[in-house]
């Protein structure tokens, strides 16, 4: 039985994905931020738009501790929350 694969011709070089994969918080450095975010979600019937401040704080914690790549908050969808301007809850 022969195969069409030639393992010597190309070397596969794996690389991490650009988004969506980041180190776990093994030491619980951002645990309190995560818990506040999860409580907000539970209290608001998982309507994430009502928990944007908590989400922003959690992501900032992760970026400060190199648990995810640094990204501008505007690029993460929090441009309207920068500078202490809270989003109006409806």
């Amino acid at each position: 039985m022969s195969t069409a694969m030639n393992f010597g011709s190309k070397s596969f070089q794996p690389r991490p994905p650009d988004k969506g994969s980041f180190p776990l918080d093994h030491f619980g450095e951002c645990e309190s931020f995560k818990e506040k975010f999860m409580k907000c979600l539970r209290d608001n019937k998982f309507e994430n738009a009502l928990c944007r401040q908590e989400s922003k704080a959690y992501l900032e914690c992760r970026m400060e501790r190199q648990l995810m790549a640094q990204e501008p908050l505007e690029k993460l969808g929090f441009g309207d929350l920068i500078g202490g301007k809270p989003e109006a809850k409806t």
Side-chain angles (χ1 to χ4, degrees):
M1 182 181 249
S2 71
T3 63
M5 297 178 105
N6 184 351
F7 292 106
S9 66
K10 284 191 177 181
S11 173
F12 175 70
Q13 294 294 323
R15 64 180 186 85
D18 292 333
K19 300 262 187 227
S21 179
F22 43 82
L24 296 175
D25 187 5
H26 291 290
F27 300 110
E29 297 174 77
C30 297
E31 185 74 18
S32 64
F33 293 96
K34 182 187 85 169
E35 289 304 318
K36 287 177 191 171
F37 176 59
M38 294 304 296
K39 181 182 182 327
C40 180
L41 287 175
R42 285 189 297 272
D43 292 347
N44 290 290
K45 299 180 182 165
F46 294 90
E47 182 64 46
N48 64 346
L50 300 176
C51 301
R52 293 184 68 234
Q53 286 286 354
E54 292 82 355
S55 176
K56 176 180 165 278
Y58 176 59
L59 293 175
E60 286 176 320
C61 176
R62 291 189 62 84
M63 286 189 283
E64 288 168 5
R65 290 160 178 83
Q66 285 84 43
L67 293 170
M68 66 180 281
Q70 288 286 332
E71 292 281 350
L73 290 172
E74 296 89 350
K75 193 173 178 183
L76 296 174
F78 298 107
D80 60 319
L81 300 182
I82 296 173
K85 295 186 298 184
E87 177 187 345
K89 292 186 178 184
T90 56

